[in-house]
């Protein structure tokens, strides 16, 4: 693989920091029933450096790429535009703590690496926007399989697989996610529609917005209900973000 510009390796920094900090947490029993939980941020930081080097080498090897590259760490903002659209979005995570030393490690990563974070956006959106701004010259590096809805290259480090996703595949993945929802992110999609049913619908009626709307209407819902789920499910691409106003552009079919 040859690139005229340095290859961009776009890391899901939220996930890297979370996993590294969680891995270094340790319980200590001081006796008389007293337990504490602590973590060494230096160890977590070393883990991140190690993961970045290892994953970088894996991506370069899979692409047979020997040129220059840039590493960009993408983070979520504390404000999330999806929660304004759908207040229950990620409500299942309220009250769940981040690993010990997480915030400190995040700040360290932002100082040590090139970081990208934008108001109201999740790390996923930042990854999607940068990736689609640089087609053929960027690779998303994450353990979250949801990035199949972004056209371009995606290295799933949990499964060790490199995906090259075209526009048609990405658009299908978005509509598929609209139908099945996401338990982890707490949006339901279309009631009663699971993975197999969604695939059958697309096979029988085509990968179309009308297919999605029809599924919602069959459940007594409306196209507006379907559109809300589609907007929540949509990981932003370059066309979904206004670079001048720094605001998301809500998806429309």
């Amino acid at each position: 693989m040859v690139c005229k510009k340095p290859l961009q390796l776009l890391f899901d920094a939220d996930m890297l920091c979370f996993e590294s900090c969680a891995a270094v947490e340790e319980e200590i029993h001081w006796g008389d029933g007293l337990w504490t939980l602590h973590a060494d941020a230096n160890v977590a930081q070393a883990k991140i450096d190690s993961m970045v080097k290892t994953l970088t080498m894996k991506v370069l090897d899979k692409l047979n790429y020997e040129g220059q590259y840039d590493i960009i760490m993408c983070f979520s903002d504390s404000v999330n535009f999806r929660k304004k659209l759908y207040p229950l979005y990620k409500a299942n995570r309220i009250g769940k703590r981040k690993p010990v030393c997480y915030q400190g490690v995040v700040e360290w990563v932002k100082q040590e690496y090139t970081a990208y974070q934008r108001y109201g956006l999740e790390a996923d959106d930042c990854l999607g926007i940068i990736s689609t701004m640089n087609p053929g010259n960027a690779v998303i590096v994450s353990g979250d399989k949801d990035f199949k809805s972004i056209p371009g290259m995606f290295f799933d480090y949990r499964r060790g697989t490199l995906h090259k996703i075209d526009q048609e595949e990405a658009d299908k993945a978005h509509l598929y996610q609209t139908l099945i929802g996401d338990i982890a992110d707490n949006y339901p999609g279309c009631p009663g529609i699971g993975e197999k049913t969604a695939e059958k619908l697309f096979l029988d009626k085509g990968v179309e917005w009308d297919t999605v709307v029809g599924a919602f209407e069959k459940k007594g819902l409306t196209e507006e209900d379907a559109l809300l789920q589609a907007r929540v499910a949509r990981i932003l691409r370059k066309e979904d973000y206004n670079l001048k106003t720094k605001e998301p552009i809500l998806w429309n079919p």
Side-chain angles (χ1 to χ4, degrees):
M1 178 181 176
V2 179
C3 293
K4 293 182 180 179
K5 298 184 293 183
L7 179 69
Q8 292 185 320
L9 300 178
L10 311 175
F11 281 84
D12 184 346
D14 284 0
M15 183 172 283
L16 283 182
C17 291
F18 190 98
E19 291 181 347
S20 298
C21 292
V24 302
E25 287 187 340
E26 293 186 35
E27 291 181 341
I28 297 181
H29 184 204
W30 298 91
D32 294 327
L34 176 62
W35 290 80
T36 60
L37 184 68
H38 81 279
D40 188 333
N42 293 310
V43 179
Q45 291 162 10
K47 279 185 173 293
I48 289 172
D49 279 339
S50 178
M51 284 184 71
V52 170
K53 289 177 183 177
T54 299
L55 295 176
T56 295
M57 291 302 104
K58 285 184 177 180
V59 172
L60 299 181
D61 182 61
K62 284 185 176 292
L63 292 174
N64 192 28
Y65 180 81
E66 297 180 351
Q68 294 183 320
Y69 59 87
D70 294 327
I71 291 172
I72 301 174
M73 295 290 197
C74 292
F75 288 96
S76 295
D77 186 48
S78 58
V79 176
N80 190 323
F81 82 92
R82 290 177 180 83
K83 292 182 179 180
K84 296 178 181 179
L85 294 175
Y86 185 70
L88 292 177
Y89 183 74
K90 291 190 174 179
N92 53 336
R93 304 188 189 187
I94 294 173
K96 293 185 179 180
R97 70 171 182 84
K98 289 287 198 297
V100 177
C101 81
Y102 177 81
Q103 294 300 334
V105 169
V106 165
E107 291 307 314
W108 174 84
V109 171
K110 289 179 179 179
Q111 292 174 9
E112 295 296 317
Y113 291 88
T114 299
Y116 188 94
Q117 179 177 328
R118 292 295 182 270
Y119 176 80
L121 304 187
E122 297 183 64
D124 293 9
D125 301 311
C126 296
L127 292 161
I129 291 166
I130 303 175
S131 175
T132 50
M133 285 175 65
N134 298 280
N137 200 62
V139 184
I140 292 173
V141 183
S142 176
D144 188 340
K145 65 182 186 304
D146 287 352
F147 289 105
K148 290 180 181 178
S149 67
I150 296 294
M153 292 185 287
F154 159 47
F155 180 64
D156 182 344
Y157 69 72
R158 284 183 175 165
R159 298 158 189 86
T161 52
L162 178 69
H163 302 273
K164 295 182 180 180
I165 304 155
D166 62 28
Q167 183 83 30
E168 185 178 346
E169 290 175 295
D171 291 345
K172 177 184 177 180
H174 170 232
L175 295 182
Y176 176 81
Q177 204 69 53
T178 300
L179 281 172
I180 69 169
D182 191 324
I183 294 174
D185 288 341
N186 205 49
Y187 65 92
C190 184
I193 302 291
E195 296 178 359
K196 292 183 179 179
T197 305
E199 287 291 356
K200 189 174 186 307
L201 276 171
F202 287 148
L203 185 63
D204 293 344
K205 300 186 178 182
V207 184
E208 308 287 347
W209 175 241
D210 286 346
T211 301
V212 174
V213 173
F216 275 79
E217 289 179 341
K218 192 173 180 179
K219 299 293 182 178
L221 300 172
T222 66
E223 182 172 2
E224 286 301 311
D225 294 317
L227 184 58
L228 175 59
Q229 293 299 304
R231 287 173 168 174
V232 171
R234 179 80 167 186
I235 296 177
L236 302 188
R237 307 175 191 177
K238 66 177 182 179
E239 63 266 27
D240 304 316
Y241 188 65
N242 188 319
L243 290 171
K244 291 183 179 180
T245 64
K246 295 183 169 52
E247 293 177 328
I249 300 169
L250 298 181
W251 184 81
N252 281 302

